[in-house]
Amino acid sequence: MRRYEILYREAYTATPLSFWVHHNLDSEVWAEASKFDPARPQKIAGKGWPVLSVTFEDLSLYFASAQELHHFMLVISKNPMPTAAELSKARGVESLADQHWLNRLPPSAKNDGVRKALFDYLVEIAPEFVSVA
């Protein structure tokens, strides 16, 4: 099954990708930071913070920003796909490699054919989310 929905939350909700994409600038502790690069999304007046919810086969994915979606798509489109250790090193937190979002993906989602189909689906639905996020 493939479906997606843009949800609106009353408060900013981090996803498994948030830490890896939005780098904390003004605090050592990510959750305590108020400045990020790239900036986290802003609340949409009268709606809240947008979150893209994607169901693709048995996989459930959530994205809190267009940058998170872009990062995810970039990673899954590479062949070979980078490892969590490589991505953690690039983020400057090698010691957190075992907590990387890539390690949360089931092995079946790392298959080349599945990644290609997922990427193609995300390309199809991305413009709607990017227009609001």
Side-chain angles (χ1 to χ4, degrees):
M1 173 172 51
R2 298 178 184 183
R3 66 184 190 100
Y4 73 97
E5 180 179 12
I6 299 174
L7 310 168
Y8 291 91
R9 305 252 167 94
E10 289 186 28
Y12 172 79
T13 305
T15 71
L17 283 109
S18 297
F19 169 83
W20 301 99
V21 173
H22 300 283
H23 300 208
N24 41 312
L25 298 177
D26 63 342
S27 176
E28 296 265 337
V29 179
W30 190 88
E32 295 174 2
S34 61
K35 294 181 183 173
F36 298 88
D37 182 29
R40 292 190 323 196
Q42 298 294 310
K43 180 179 182 179
I44 297 174
K47 291 186 176 183
W49 277 266
V51 174
L52 176 62
S53 170
V54 177
T55 301
F56 185 85
E57 311 309 336
D58 296 338
L59 194 58
S60 294
L61 302 167
Y62 298 91
F63 304 95
S65 70
Q67 293 90 347
E68 291 179 21
L69 178 59
H70 177 263
H71 173 75
F72 182 87
M73 292 173 69
L74 182 66
V75 170
I76 68 165
S77 70
K78 292 190 176 190
N79 200 3
M81 192 166 60
T83 66
E86 292 168 337
L87 295 169
S88 298
K89 184 176 181 178
R91 171 69 165 86
V93 288
E94 293 174 74
S95 63
L96 298 178
D98 62 334
Q99 297 175 35
H100 196 276
W101 65 264
L102 193 54
N103 288 335
R104 296 181 183 190
L105 285 181
S108 61
K110 296 176 184 177
N111 170 285
D112 289 347
V114 172
R115 286 191 290 127
K116 168 81 169 101
L118 174 57
F119 179 85
D120 290 346
Y121 182 63
L122 294 174
V123 165
E124 185 181 316
I125 67 174
E128 185 177 347
F129 182 61
V130 169
S131 73
V132 298

